[in-house]
Amino acid sequence: MALRNRQWQEAPRPSPTRSAARRVAGPAIVIAALCLLTVPPILLAGIRTPAGSVFVGYVVIARDAEVYQALWRAGWHGAWLFQSAFTAESLPAILLYPWYLWPAHLVGWLPGPWLYHLSRLVAGAALLASVWLLTAELFRSRLMRRSAFALCVLGGGIGLLLPRDLQLGPFVTRATETASPGSSVAELLSMAPHLPWAMALMCWTMLVGLRLRRDRSRGLLVSGLVAIIGLQLIYPQLALLAAASILGWSIVRRRRAAIWFAAMAAMVQLPYLVYLLWIWRTAPATLRVIRPALEVGDPFGFLVLSHLVATGLIIVALWRRRLRGDLLLPAFWLAGMTVFMFAPGISGVLGRSFMASSVPFGLCAAPGLLVTGRIVRSTAWRRRMLVTVLAASSFFGIFSLAQPYWIAAFRLDPRAEYESQDEATLLARLAPHVSARDVVLTTYLDGIFVPAQSDARAFNGHPEMTIDAGRKADEALAFFNHGWPAAQRAAFLEANHIDYVLTTDSRFSDRLRGDPRLRLIDQEGGAALFAVQP
């Protein structure tokens, strides 16, 4: 009779909000941990600053970071258009690097290293989040999502374990990651902020194309077009690759909404592409201070050496016919990327498309991982196999996360990580008295710091921002070191419109003291600053 009066109550179900929070919490913790792993090398490099030097605030590709610091400085002082401050030529201002110049009007007051690393951390988190959303859109299984995310973020090959130029019979091959950085998402987390931002926008564009299958809201479409515009202002070739990949996939899958999105994405790119073509035809010298393509190796080095495990899993997926449906989108991305990198005639302009290639490789490889796992019947051995494959694929990603620690601990790039205390002091004193009209002559490595710490331009500085960088580096060294007669030095200074001469070598400063065209205006330790007399 007691059972008659008993009221059975259904177990409480977790609320949708709590369930969504749990789904977000795991990826958020992983994303935060990966981003924070890039911070300790900066602290380590600062602690290990040599005597008589100052830590500039950068560890990975520190020379490039000085360029972006100079751009922020120019933006904070009112510049909306780009002019290279690392070359003596007076070039017209053009629409390049707006991702640095425009935000600097609001936040350029922050010290360069703080702004750089805060931007880099935010951009890295955005990239990892967009990769996670892309994997969640393509795979339903939680295990597949996690595996695909690991393949995308940490994926890479064995190029670092091989000689730089590997001889295979009559054929010489080179892995892409040994030629140019940026092929892995994990590697991008420690690099300049615009690189992870670009790939975050790339992944978001692909995500919008996929979501248009079921969501045709105007807000989603607008977000995709805004991402395309932002991506184009960083790397136009990547925006073109995104539109081409979505168009190819949508035609094969007959996704009408995605076809329209790809067409509109192509249309919004047209004005800027026409503008760049006009600049190239009317003022080609302005584009000589940018590097349109990087050395990317060869197809074998890219498809096999740089992504060995992923390529093997993709072959398995193709064999078992698992690379189909919406996974054709990353497949088109991968195919288009390869064409852009190696097709004759266009590879010299579109070669940077290899950036974050671990993402399309990882997405296409995930079905092959599932097929390989099903071959093993034992659950325990299946897990071991899964861990082994992911670990083998993650070698380069783990190395990329560890490399900044190695650079900082052993000071592997000291001339870029650290600046002479004397030079930093002189540039701080010079900064209030110069503008972009002034040109400072110094040696190549010292010239990197001049525009980043003052408004003056350097005669020669960053090699990719200096026109005829090799020749100018030799001329600057000859000016200081080869004992030119006073008349030859005077002609050189006048021909290159140089206003100041900066040296951090006491031998050079002693040699220049007797020059009638140079007046010593400041000195700190072994560094000296001369003003050129009219």
Side-chain angles (χ1 to χ4, degrees):
M1 295 298 294
L3 289 176
R4 259 184 219 178
N5 298 326
R6 179 173 294 176
Q7 296 181 354
W8 294 93
Q9 296 182 353
E10 187 177 353
R13 297 179 179 178
S15 65
T17 303
R18 181 177 300 178
S19 179
R22 288 179 178 177
R23 289 197 300 269
V24 172
I29 292 173
V30 173
I31 290 171
L34 288 173
C35 291
L36 291 176
L37 278 174
T38 65
V39 174
I42 305 164
L43 304 177
L44 180 60
I47 294 172
R48 289 183 51 77
T49 302
S53 301
V54 293
F55 176 50
V56 297
Y58 311 111
V59 174
V60 178
I61 315 183
R63 289 175 177 83
D64 290 353
E66 298 292 338
V67 173
Y68 309 129
Q69 180 170 320
L71 290 172
W72 273 318
R73 186 182 183 93
W76 175 242
H77 290 167
W80 292 95
L81 299 176
F82 166 74
Q83 289 179 299
S84 176
F86 294 86
T87 194
E89 291 81 1
S90 296
L91 303 173
I94 58 175
L95 181 57
L96 282 178
Y97 295 102
W99 279 84
Y100 290 98
L101 288 169
W102 297 354
H105 286 259
L106 297 176
V107 297
W109 54 271
L110 280 171
W114 282 95
L115 186 54
Y116 181 90
H117 292 299
L118 288 174
S119 302
R120 180 183 58 77
L121 290 172
V122 173
L127 172 57
L128 293 172
S130 62
V131 172
W132 174 257
L133 292 173
L134 196 54
T135 59
E137 188 71 23
L138 288 170
F139 304 105
R140 294 182 180 179
S141 165
R142 181 181 299 178
L143 178 61
M144 285 295 293
R145 290 178 180 179
R146 293 176 176 176
S147 301
F149 183 74
L151 288 169
C152 290
V153 173
L154 300 176
I158 59 172
L160 295 175
L161 302 177
L162 301 172
R164 180 174 175 83
D165 294 318
L166 181 63
Q167 186 80 33
L168 299 176
F171 179 61
V172 177
T173 184
R174 177 186 298 177
T176 299
E177 74 271 15
T178 64
S180 295
S183 63
S184 173
V185 169
E187 191 177 17
L188 291 176
L189 297 180
S190 297
M191 296 175 68
H194 71 283
L195 298 173
W197 267 128
M199 298 319 304
L201 294 172
M202 183 86 167
C203 292
W204 180 259
T205 303
M206 299 294 182
L207 181 64
V208 169
L210 289 170
R211 286 187 173 177
L212 285 173
R213 298 168 300 177
R214 62 179 186 277
D215 180 4
R216 301 185 181 182
S217 64
R218 183 175 299 178
L220 180 65
L221 182 61
V222 169
S223 72
L225 294 177
V226 170
I228 281 287
I229 295 172
L231 179 58
Q232 184 184 30
L233 291 175
I234 304 176
Y235 289 128
Q237 60 269 47
L238 292 182
L240 185 62
L241 175 60
S245 302
I246 294 173
L247 180 62
W249 162 78
S250 58
I251 291 175
V252 172
R253 295 286 292 160
R254 298 179 182 179
R255 303 290 186 185
R256 184 173 299 178
I259 292 176
W260 280 106
F261 171 57
M264 287 187 285
M267 290 299 296
V268 300
Q269 295 180 54
L270 189 60
Y272 189 62
L273 293 177
V274 171
Y275 170 76
L276 292 178
L277 178 62
W278 176 73
I279 292 293
W280 178 69
R281 294 294 300 272
T282 59
T286 59
L287 298 179
R288 292 178 64 189
V289 295
I290 63 171
R291 192 175 178 183
L294 298 175
E295 174 61 41
V296 293
D298 54 89
F300 182 84
F302 175 63
L303 297 173
V304 178
L305 300 183
S306 294
H307 300 281
L308 179 63
V309 176
T311 298
L313 293 174
I314 291 172
I315 293 173
V316 172
L318 289 171
W319 171 51
R320 298 302 295 267
R321 298 181 181 179
R322 294 287 183 176
L323 196 59
R324 59 174 187 258
D326 292 331
L327 284 172
L328 291 177
L329 177 56
F332 270 99
W333 181 359
L334 183 54
M337 178 186 298
T338 306
V339 171
F340 278 23
M341 290 170 63
F342 302 110
I346 64 173
S347 59
V349 178
L350 306 177
R352 282 186 184 266
S353 55
F354 74 93
M355 304 298 292
S357 54
S358 62
V359 176
F361 269 100
L363 295 175
C364 293
L369 183 64
L370 177 64
V371 171
T372 306
R374 288 178 176 174
I375 297 175
V376 181
R377 295 185 178 182
S378 169
T379 302
W381 280 103
R382 185 180 302 167
R383 290 175 178 173
R384 294 189 184 100
M385 184 278 301
L386 178 64
V387 171
T388 302
V389 172
L390 289 178
S393 176
S394 301
F395 164 74
F396 182 67
I398 295 173
F399 171 84
S400 299
L401 293 173
Q403 186 183 31
Y405 291 84
W406 186 264
I407 296 173
F410 294 95
R411 294 200 288 250
L412 299 184
D413 194 10
R415 296 299 300 272
E417 293 176 74
Y418 305 102
E419 180 186 12
S420 163
Q421 177 68 63
D422 298 337
E423 180 185 18
T425 301
L426 288 183
L427 287 177
R429 295 174 187 165
L430 176 68
H433 307 288
V434 293
S435 68
R437 295 186 298 271
D438 298 303
V439 179
V440 177
L441 171 66
T442 186
T443 56
Y444 152 66
L445 286 173
D446 291 328
I448 293 175
F449 302 111
V450 171
Q453 299 173 21
S454 72
D455 294 333
R457 289 181 290 140
F459 170 74
N460 63 314
H462 193 279
E464 294 177 14
M465 287 280 169
T466 303
I467 296 177
D468 295 332
R471 173 183 62 82
K472 289 181 179 177
D474 292 340
E475 289 178 347
L477 190 60
F479 180 91
F480 288 109
N481 199 36
H482 290 177
W484 282 358
Q488 186 176 1
R489 284 200 298 264
F492 175 79
L493 295 172
E494 184 174 355
N496 293 283
H497 309 288
I498 293 170
D499 301 285
Y500 297 92
V501 175
L502 171 66
T503 175
T504 57
D505 192 319
S506 58
R507 296 173 303 168
F508 296 163
S509 61
D510 292 339
R511 188 174 299 157
L512 297 176
R513 287 177 189 273
D515 194 310
R517 290 292 304 273
L518 299 178
R519 177 171 60 90
L520 180 66
I521 60 173
D522 202 351
Q523 188 171 6
E524 183 70 27
L529 179 65
F530 298 86
V532 179
Q533 300 299 305

